[in-house]
Amino acid sequence: MTISEKAAYLKGLMDGLNLDTEKDEGKMIAAIVDLLGDVTKKLTAVEDTTIAISDELDEIEEDLDAIEDFILDEDDDDDYDDDDDDYDEYEDDEDYDEEGFDFGDEDSIIYEVQCACGEIINFDEETLEQGGMTCPNCGESLEFTTEDEE
């Protein structure tokens, strides 16, 4: 039996006993039954709100899981694990970032150029040797020249 059913049962008992609500005892019992009815209504509203909040939190959790899956791409999680011993071999390697990315030779030179559109573009020596590239922002062809020092 639920709380609201119990409160309704008590109200029915009170009505069935034909208590005189003009006497002190009858007034007291009627007031207690009314109070129980009010408490039951409030409790039911709180339970309904709690269920609604719980459902919303479940939906938010599912959305966050989907975002996490998208960002982390769980297929790649097998390649890197903090508890994995393979991580330890890279721990002292300067070319290995904390997040597991190998950035190659840290001594390589990175060049920076500003396109006419205002985009700042970073490139390495290999791109410089190729003599040019296309701006990823506006598509303009950028050409590089180097002067040989003798």
Side-chain angles (χ1 to χ4, degrees), residues 28-129:
M28 176 70 121
I29 292 174
I32 291 172
V33 170
D34 282 344
L35 176 66
L36 288 174
D38 292 344
V39 168
T40 299
K41 288 177 188 176
K42 292 285 185 183
L43 184 61
T44 302
V46 168
E47 287 175 342
D48 292 343
T49 303
T50 303
I51 290 169
I53 290 171
S54 177
D55 291 343
E56 288 292 324
L57 286 174
D58 288 343
E59 288 181 31
I60 290 170
E61 182 180 17
E62 289 173 11
D63 291 344
L64 285 174
D65 286 342
I67 291 169
E68 180 182 28
D69 290 348
F70 178 76
I71 291 173
L72 296 179
D73 192 17
E74 286 190 347
D75 294 337
D76 292 339
D77 282 350
D78 295 337
D79 297 338
Y80 172 71
D81 185 4
D82 281 339
D83 297 332
D84 194 0
D85 292 336
D86 293 339
Y87 175 74
D88 294 336
E89 72 184 67
Y90 295 108
E91 205 167 89
D92 297 327
D93 189 353
E94 293 176 5
D95 297 338
Y96 199 77
D97 186 10
E98 287 179 8
E99 295 169 0
F101 300 110
D102 186 359
F103 289 105
D105 184 11
E106 294 274 330
D107 296 331
S108 65
I109 299 174
I110 302 296
Y111 298 95
E112 184 177 279
V113 68
Q114 184 171 5
C115 179
C117 70
E119 180 78 10
I120 303 232
I121 304 165
N122 295 321
F123 57 94
D124 59 8
E125 287 188 48
E126 184 178 326
T127 305
L128 182 65
E129 289 172 4

